[in-house]
């Protein structure tokens, strides 16, 4: 286990709303052999969960080599059985999400060097500027993307976007159309339904927009809407068929968004998720008047 240290000290606490607290001979786990009074005071407040503390005066401090007893001040053993899985593409300057659509442009608006004239010596800041269309990287579609008068980014509630129970539909390699029958084995009510086609491996290449890109059929979209799915995502270029035979019809978008079911397109990393037993989040900023926007999509997986 190695050396472990505890501090023994007296403390006098004053509260911002009046009153005080005094302790004598208090012992507290500390992270190392040395600790300042200021750090010990902060550790003490955190350990006891004290609110509205104005001042803590430490006295009679001694350091003792002694096994830790546990508490909120010093981290214990690392938490296991829980992991975060990144499901978004990185947005970079000049990247291509949809061929023929404008790429994002990222540049300095305020450099560290230029900012120095605005602040005290040794203080500097950097601010970037991005010019992009909303359909960039991994992004969310709201009803306003398809339907005039539909809910935009400000109208879709967080219970449709964050901490959703998730299910992954594994689409066999070489399958284009994800149909109703393929969805039949899955419980989708109230869940984020993520279609894992494997097409994300082609992101950023010409192959990504090829006519054989996988998609969700209109009939399957209606099945998801009827079953009450909370959100639907896919790791392909579009949740609808973009092949020339589709003729510009977008039944999956039309059906899901008419039912108020948000869509996340251009996911990645779905191979790292279990079939179920995870929580999914894909929340954009609240921008009025916009129907789509990039998201940081991720999942929390518990053992």
């Amino acid at each position: 286990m190695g050396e472990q240290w505890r501090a023994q000290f007296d403390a006098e606490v004053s509260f911002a709303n009046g009153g005080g607290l005094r302790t004598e001979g208090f012992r507290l786990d500390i992270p190392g052999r040395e600790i300042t009074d200021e750090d010990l005071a902060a550790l003490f407040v955190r350990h006891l969960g004290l609110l509205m503390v104005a001042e803590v005066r430490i006295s009679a401090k001694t350091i003792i080599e002694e096994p830790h007893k546990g508490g909120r001040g010093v981290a214990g053993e690392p938490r296991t059985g829980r992991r975060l899985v990144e499901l978004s593409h990185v947005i970079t300057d000049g990247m291509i999400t949809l061929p023929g659509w404008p790429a994002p442009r990222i540049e300095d608006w305020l450099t560290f060097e230029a900012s120095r004239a605005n602040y005290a010596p040794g203080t500097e800041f950097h601010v970037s500027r991005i010019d992009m269309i909303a359909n960039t990287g991994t992004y969310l579609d709201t009803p306003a993307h398809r339907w005039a008068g539909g809910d935009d980014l400000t109208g879709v509630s967080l219970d449709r976007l964050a901490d959703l129970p998730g299910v992954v539909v594994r689409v066999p390699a070489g399958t284009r159309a994800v149909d109703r029958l393929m969805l039949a084995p899955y419980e989708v009510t109230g869940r984020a339904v993520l279609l894992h086609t494997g097409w994300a491996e082609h992101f950023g290449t010409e192959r990504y927009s090829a006519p054989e890109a996988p998609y969700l059929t209109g009939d399957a979209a209606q099945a998801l809407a009827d079953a009450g799915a909370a959100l639907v995502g896919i790791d392909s270029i579009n949740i609808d068929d973009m092949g020339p035979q589709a003729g510009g019809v977008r039944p999956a978008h039309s059906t899901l968004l008419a039912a108020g079911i948000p869509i996340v397109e251009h996911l990645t990393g779905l191979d790292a998720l279990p079939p179920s037993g995870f929580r999914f989040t894909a929340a954009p900023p609240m921008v009025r008047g916009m129907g789509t926007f990039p998201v940081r999509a991720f999942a929390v997986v518990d053992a």
Side-chain angles (χ1 to χ4, degrees):
M1 183 178 294
E3 296 179 338
Q4 292 187 341
W5 304 89
R6 308 188 79 211
Q8 179 174 305
F9 57 96
D10 298 342
E12 187 175 349
V13 182
S14 299
F15 294 98
N17 59 341
L21 174 71
R22 183 176 179 80
T23 68
E24 294 181 356
F26 196 91
R27 290 195 180 189
L28 186 63
D29 297 350
I30 58 175
R33 187 171 186 171
E34 298 181 359
I35 189 169
T36 66
D37 287 356
E38 290 79 10
D39 288 343
L40 183 57
L43 209 58
F44 175 72
V45 169
R46 176 174 171 80
H47 177 77
L48 294 182
L50 300 177
L51 301 178
M52 301 186 71
V53 173
E55 183 182 9
V56 178
R57 291 177 290 280
I58 302 291
S59 61
K61 180 179 71 177
T62 58
I63 306 300
I64 305 163
E65 185 176 0
E66 186 176 76
H68 284 173
K69 306 301 182 185
R72 288 178 286 185
V74 176
E77 293 297 315
R79 183 179 179 183
T80 59
R82 178 180 182 271
R83 59 190 174 93
L84 293 170
V85 180
E86 178 66 68
L87 302 175
S88 299
H89 290 288
V90 177
I91 296 176
T92 59
D93 181 64
M95 70 177 286
I96 298 298
T97 301
L98 297 164
W101 293 40
R105 296 301 174 200
I106 304 173
E107 59 187 3
D108 293 332
W109 182 79
L110 180 68
T111 65
F112 283 119
E113 293 78 9
S115 76
R116 293 169 188 163
N118 302 330
Y119 303 100
T123 302
E124 58 186 25
F125 293 94
H126 176 256
V127 180
S128 296
R129 174 174 180 165
I130 185 168
D131 179 9
M132 68 177 185
I133 61 170
N135 291 38
T136 297
T138 303
Y139 57 80
L140 180 92
D141 292 344
T142 70
H145 177 53
R146 171 64 180 86
W147 300 104
D151 287 335
D152 64 8
L153 296 174
T154 68
V156 178
S157 63
L158 282 175
D159 59 9
R160 286 280 190 171
L161 306 173
D163 197 33
L164 298 169
V167 59
V168 175
V169 176
R170 306 289 186 198
V171 179
T175 300
R176 282 207 68 221
V178 180
D179 58 17
R180 179 188 290 261
L181 191 60
M182 195 173 295
L183 299 175
Y186 299 92
E187 175 56 56
V188 301
T189 304
R191 289 169 166 78
V193 181
L194 309 182
L195 309 179
H196 177 211
T197 71
W199 205 250
E201 68 176 332
H202 304 302
F203 186 85
T205 71
E206 292 184 3
R207 174 96 171 131
Y208 192 61
S209 60
E212 59 268 27
Y215 66 94
L216 182 71
T217 68
D219 188 45
Q222 188 62 59
L224 289 172
D226 291 343
L231 175 149
V232 180
I234 191 169
D235 61 351
S236 186
I237 189 169
N238 201 294
I239 202 165
D240 273 299
D241 185 3
M242 292 182 65
Q245 69 281 355
V249 179
R250 297 290 186 263
H253 275 92
S254 300
T255 300
L256 294 174
L257 296 179
I261 301 173
I263 299 168
V264 181
E265 293 175 312
H266 312 283
L267 286 164
T268 188
L270 294 180
D271 56 315
L273 293 181
S276 59
F278 63 90
R279 313 290 294 192
F280 177 78
T281 295
M286 296 178 68
V287 185
R288 191 172 303 281
M290 295 189 72
T292 62
F293 207 84
V295 293
R296 184 76 179 266
F298 64 90
V300 180
V301 182
D302 287 312

